[in-house]
Amino acid sequence: GGFYAWGRVRVALARRDYQGALRQLVTEEQQALDNQFWFLPIALLRGEVLRLEGQHDLARRSFEAARLDLEQRVRHDPDDHRLRRSLGIAYAGLGRTEDAVREARRGCDLMPASKDALRSLWCLGDLALVYAMVGMNSEAVATLDDLLARSGWFTPHALRLDPRWDPLRSDPRFQALLTKYEVKP
């Protein structure tokens, strides 16, 4: 379902090795990393990496390719929270703030904690990412606070390593959030 592939990309991102992350994506045989938690088209992931690397024109092309694919998939399966969230990220990469937030929120609405506590964590993570990508820092920090307050995959350490959160690094509320949830020895 893409756990290992996404893990390899995340390690490269944590190292700020964007070319290494792109190489990982090129070798991926699937068109998307697909499991119960996410549906991540390779074009979407490539767009994220290229955006982080500062290759904005290439990133935009990748986000556009992902958008076209995801919009078609959403038409066929409008209640798939994974598709909605990824479409939100694609829209955020294209600068379509209103569309991005709408889709990411819709993904969260389709998979609330009352339905599945674990899968809802991924929804909140993607919503926070969309907020960060479109410059809605207050909303991103508030969503991350909600996410970190729950048990799960997301930790302050992971947020520190992941360059996708770089837009929040200078925000004192983000720094306070990392300190608030840091595990003390």
Side-chain angles (χ1 to χ4, degrees), residues 128-169:
L129 178 60
V130 164
Y131 284 142
M133 288 176 73
V134 300
M136 297 174 70
N137 291 4
S138 295
E139 292 84 350
V141 170
T143 304
L144 287 171
D145 192 6
D146 184 16
L147 181 63
L148 291 170
R150 303 170 191 218
S151 179
W153 298 88
F154 297 88
T155 66
H157 185 66
L159 295 177
R160 281 189 179 96
L161 290 174
D162 192 332
R164 295 177 305 158
W165 304 108
D166 284 354
L168 302 177
R169 299 250 182 255

Side-chain angles (χ1 to χ4, degrees), residues 13-174:
L13 290 179
R15 293 178 177 156
R16 304 306 201 257
D17 178 10
Y18 302 120
Q19 287 302 306
L22 290 170
R23 280 192 302 276
Q24 290 291 334
L25 294 172
V26 166
T27 63
E28 188 56 43
E29 294 177 7
Q30 305 173 76
Q31 292 299 308
L33 306 182
D34 181 8
N35 60 41
Q36 66 177 325
F37 300 107
W38 62 65
F39 183 89
L40 299 169
I42 297 301
L44 180 68
L45 296 174
R46 188 174 36 256
E48 286 188 73
V49 174
L50 290 166
R51 181 176 186 259
L52 291 168
E53 192 176 40
Q55 295 191 48
H56 299 290
D57 289 339
L58 291 174
R60 184 166 186 76
R61 284 186 230 154
S62 288
F63 283 127
E64 183 63 20
R67 179 195 66 81
L68 292 170
D69 176 47
L70 288 162
E71 284 180 344
Q72 180 179 0
R73 289 177 186 277
V74 165
R75 277 192 293 278
H76 288 85
D77 193 356
D79 294 330
D80 188 327
H81 64 97
R82 304 164 314 141
L83 299 175
R84 295 290 186 158
R85 294 172 8 232
S86 288
L87 183 55
I89 294 168
Y91 283 148
L94 293 168
R96 293 174 56 176
T97 300
E98 206 173 289
D99 293 329
V101 170
R102 181 193 66 241
E103 291 301 325
R105 283 184 182 157
R106 180 72 178 131
C108 289
D109 292 344
L110 289 167
M111 186 54 65
S114 61
K115 186 173 183 179
D116 188 310
L118 184 57
R119 287 192 286 174
S120 72
L121 295 173
W122 294 98
C123 298
L124 287 174
D126 285 346
L127 177 60
L129 178 60
V130 164
Y131 284 142
M133 288 176 73
V134 300
M136 297 174 70
N137 291 4
S138 295
E139 292 84 350
V141 170
T143 304
L144 287 171
D145 192 6
D146 184 16
L147 181 63
L148 291 170
R150 303 170 191 218
S151 179
W153 298 88
F154 297 88
T155 66
H157 185 66
L159 295 177
R160 281 189 179 96
L161 290 174
D162 192 332
R164 295 177 305 158
W165 304 108
D166 284 354
L168 302 177
R169 299 250 182 255
S170 63
D171 190 318
R173 296 167 298 182
F174 181 72

